[in-house]
Amino acid sequence: MYKFSDLERFAMRRALLLAEQGMYTTSENPRVGACLVKDGNLIAQGFHRAPGGPHAEIEAIKQADVGLVRGSTCVVTLEPCSHIGKTGPCADALIDAGIARVVIAMEDPNPLVAGRGLAKLRDANIDIAVGLYSHEARSLNRGFIKRMTCGRPYVWLKSAASLDGKVAMADGESKWITGPEARCDVQRIRGRCQAIVTGINTVLADDPQLTVRHKESGLFIPEGLSPKQPLRVILDTLGRLPTSNQLVDVEGPILWVTGNQYQHPMCTNGRINQWVAPLCDGRIDLRSLLLELGRRQINEVLFEAGTTLLGRLIEDRLVDQGVLYYAPKLLGQTARSLYNIAPPQLADAPEIVIQRISEVGGDIRLDWTLGTRA
């Protein structure tokens, strides 16, 4: 059982807050923060900002005087890497800097690391302690962990409904059910995801942009970095994507997922990328889609779509985190219902675990996940 000092606990909490500053910019990389402590003081800190940039440990080491760093303790939210990727191994940097002790929240799930960083530090006679605030560290990098362990992204499902569980009027009108605060809250979820998925019916009906409005929504972007738009993924089994729409009018990559090879002028000029997906019962296989997004280094993906696609995700038990916004409106019995699912009997109905209920402006946000079947 590892023991941690009060200063190390304080430093880890600080490192977790620092890691959150890379929430919208680390892309395929994990969100990591690090602090250096010595003689009862926090002497340096840093966080990973973006792929290709220095890792958190290196950022912290660069801040402090070489003499102070030697003999200090590094408190970091993720196991220091031991391989050469876009940057050098952090474990080697800690050894070279003369770090005496390393306190780590969690081991790295990346198979290229996965304990090797710890072993390298131990071999250099550096004291190691693991597991401080591991739950918080895992929550911060739930998408990275999911991709490293399962090969697919962490799946967010977002929906909005009236208090009577309706998403649109009978004629399809749905803008806006929720208020501005809830819509701003959705931007924070979009911003942390590297991909947003919707279906062709939503594109044809609503002509959405599916972008993140970073500045308007107050999302923190580290100094010197420009925010990137997520990959927008359009599921279009029969190749019905129109040649003119708002998706292509705004900046950001687009993946057109079809059931067969179709021609589109935006593919010819390189504006969109087409991927022909395997089909299941005549529809795009969602499991294959998620594995493909994992291969494209997507850690977190948000599904914002119609009731049919969201219903399939629930029935296939592919949802990791659901977010439902309830608006103080009643749309009535002729309005369209929330999820298109049809369990044959009550015993087959998907069970939902409600994790949190909170107010967002005049609306209610309900965080949920699928229950575990017996």
Side-chain angles (χ1 to χ4, degrees):
M1 189 71 176
Y2 295 108
K3 293 185 178 180
F4 307 100
S5 70
D6 289 342
L7 178 60
E8 288 169 349
R9 293 179 184 277
F10 165 79
M12 186 63 80
R13 291 194 295 269
R14 177 61 184 162
L16 288 165
L17 290 173
L18 288 166
E20 287 187 8
Q21 295 189 39
M23 178 68 70
Y24 308 114
T25 55
T26 56
S27 298
E28 72 272 15
N29 286 359
R31 299 151 184 151
V32 185
C35 293
L36 299 182
V37 295
K38 187 178 183 181
D39 299 331
N41 297 306
L42 192 156
I43 61 172
Q45 62 186 24
F47 67 96
H48 180 51
R49 300 165 184 265
H55 289 187
E57 303 94 318
I58 309 302
E59 286 275 6
I61 289 172
K62 289 193 306 182
Q63 281 192 11
D65 180 83
V66 174
L68 279 177
V69 173
R70 187 163 299 277
S72 67
T73 294
C74 178
V75 179
V76 61
T77 59
L78 185 69
E79 174 186 359
C81 62
S82 57
H83 67 292
I84 298 176
K86 294 180 180 178
T87 61
C90 291
D92 289 352
L94 294 174
I95 295 168
D96 294 341
I99 299 293
R101 174 173 163 88
V102 181
V103 176
I104 300 162
M106 61 170 285
E107 292 189 20
D108 194 331
N110 186 343
L112 295 175
V113 184
R116 292 181 178 87
L118 297 178
K120 182 173 283 192
L121 294 172
R122 286 195 182 100
D123 289 344
N125 295 317
I126 294 176
D127 187 34
I128 301 295
V130 184
L132 180 58
Y133 296 120
S134 60
H135 175 76
E136 290 81 357
R138 294 182 67 85
S139 178
L140 189 64
N141 281 307
R142 61 186 78 175
F144 181 74
I145 295 169
K146 190 78 176 186
R147 181 166 67 88
M148 288 296 130
T149 57
C150 300
R152 72 165 179 86
Y154 187 91
V155 174
W156 291 78
L157 185 154
K158 170 263 172 181
S159 47
S162 61
L163 283 181
D164 52 350
K166 306 296 183 177
V167 299
M169 301 301 290
D171 62 0
E173 181 188 358
S174 63
K175 192 176 182 177
W176 299 98
I177 289 180
T178 56
E181 294 88 353
R183 297 197 294 274
C184 184
D185 196 54
V186 172
Q187 291 294 313
R188 287 189 280 272
I189 302 175
R190 283 187 181 184
R192 68 177 293 155
C193 294
Q194 294 78 53
I196 301 174
V197 180
T198 197
I200 186 61
N201 288 334
T202 297
V203 173
L204 295 175
D206 299 338
D207 192 18
Q209 292 185 353
L210 298 179
T211 54
V212 180
R213 294 180 284 279
H214 297 87
K215 186 175 182 180
E216 177 185 327
S217 304
L219 305 189
F220 175 79
I221 304 298
E223 185 178 355
L225 295 180
S226 298
K228 294 182 179 179
Q229 291 295 338
L231 175 69
R232 290 163 297 162
V233 183
I234 313 303
L235 306 191
D236 184 12
T237 307
L238 302 178
R240 296 183 290 153
L241 184 67
T243 57
S244 177
N245 54 69
Q246 288 199 94
L247 287 168
V248 299
D249 291 340
V250 294
E251 179 187 356
I254 301 170
L255 180 63
W256 184 37
V257 181
T258 61
N260 288 289
Q261 190 71 42
Y262 294 103
Q263 299 299 316
H264 196 287
M266 293 297 175
C267 289
T268 304
N269 64 21
R271 179 64 185 91
I272 65 175
N273 180 23
Q274 183 180 11
W275 180 64
V276 179
L279 298 180
C280 180
D281 297 327
R283 299 181 297 188
I284 289 167
D285 187 319
L286 296 180
R287 286 186 172 83
S288 296
L289 169 69
L290 292 176
L291 290 174
E292 175 63 21
L293 293 179
R295 284 189 288 269
R296 292 171 183 257
Q297 297 188 304
I298 302 297
N299 286 340
E300 299 183 49
V301 57
L302 172 63
F303 280 77
E304 287 193 70
T307 58
T308 299
L309 178 53
L310 298 188
R312 286 181 60 199
L313 285 167
I314 293 172
E315 289 182 328
D316 291 347
R317 303 191 63 80
L318 296 174
V319 180
D320 294 303
Q321 182 67 59
V323 178
L324 171 58
Y325 297 92
Y326 273 120
K329 296 180 175 71
L330 299 172
L331 301 191
Q333 62 182 3
T334 61
R336 300 182 182 183
S337 296
L338 188 53
Y339 303 125
N340 188 358
I341 58 175
Q345 51 189 351
L346 184 59
D348 300 309
E351 291 190 3
I352 300 298
V353 176
I354 298 175
Q355 301 162 307
R356 186 181 66 171
I357 300 174
S358 54
E359 292 185 41
V360 183
D363 303 311
I364 295 173
R365 170 173 166 165
L366 190 150
D367 289 75
W368 60 272
T369 190
L370 290 172
T372 302
R373 288 179 175 170

